[in-house]
Amino acid sequence: MSAGGRQSRRLPNPAVSFPAPRVTLPAGPDILRTYSGAFVCLEILFGGLVWILVASSNVPLPLLQGWVMFVSVTAFFFSLLFLGMFLSGMVTQIEANWNFLDFAYHFTVFVFYFGAFLLEAAATSLHDLHCNTTMTLQPLLSDNQYNINVAATIFAFMTTACYGCSLGLALRRWRP
């Protein structure tokens, strides 16, 4: 009891009321020695190639390939951020369930990248479609653009597969 006859109430310590960060991946450079770290590096590499290849194809179908560009650029930067958080060790400083965040991130990006892969494959399949430009029929994609789009489709598939593998590994960590 305090001097006025009232009991003093203690506020809970905020450091005690939050759970410790839950992460089973190593922080720092050791993450690069895990399968998950290797897949994130491959996601960044292949995703960057998708971004570069689609941009270099002059984007003949902006409705389809605009989404592919959005997904590849966004996933590229978020994967860099994700890897940077683990490399810097910030994951041990932020109270969060990193295993769930890893799973949620890779699930979301896997779904979006799978859609982007399908759209890029659809854009590539329209190679023989002829369009009327100034009274002459020309193919929608030149041979050079077609080859670039084929490479972009292959790398989009490889990136999607890497995100799928990361998703499987994240699911194992989240739900052991």
Side-chain angles (χ1 to χ4, degrees), residues 151-164:
T153 302
I154 291 168
F155 282 113
F157 174 76
M158 292 170 64
T159 307
T160 303
C162 287
Y163 278 110

Side-chain angles (χ1 to χ4, degrees), residues 135-149:
M135 303 305 249
T136 60
L137 287 176
Q138 295 180 354
L140 182 64
L141 300 173
S142 68
D143 288 339
N144 185 38
Q145 287 180 339
Y146 175 72
N147 292 336
I148 291 171
N149 279 307

Side-chain angles (χ1 to χ4, degrees), residues 35-143:
Y35 287 120
S36 293
F39 278 123
V40 170
C41 290
L42 288 174
E43 293 161 9
I44 293 168
L45 176 69
F46 294 151
L49 286 172
V50 171
W51 173 17
I52 291 167
L53 288 167
V54 172
S56 69
S57 73
N58 298 328
V59 190
L61 297 165
L63 185 60
L64 299 178
Q65 292 180 305
W67 179 252
V68 176
M69 285 292 292
F70 169 75
V71 170
S72 63
V73 170
T74 304
F76 178 84
F77 284 115
F78 276 113
S79 291
L80 274 177
L81 178 68
F82 182 80
L83 185 62
M85 299 265 300
F86 275 91
L87 283 173
S88 68
M90 286 180 61
V91 294
T92 60
Q93 306 295 319
I94 301 172
E95 284 83 16
N97 185 347
W98 284 97
N99 292 331
F100 173 74
L101 291 175
D102 182 21
F103 170 76
Y105 168 70
H106 281 101
F107 175 78
T108 304
V109 176
F110 174 75
V111 169
F112 283 130
Y113 233 109
F114 184 72
F117 157 68
L118 293 177
L119 289 174
E120 183 60 31
T124 304
S125 70
L126 298 175
H127 169 60
D128 291 328
L129 182 69
H130 292 282
C131 57
N132 188 356
T133 58
T134 65
M135 303 305 249
T136 60
L137 287 176
Q138 295 180 354
L140 182 64
L141 300 173
S142 68
D143 288 339

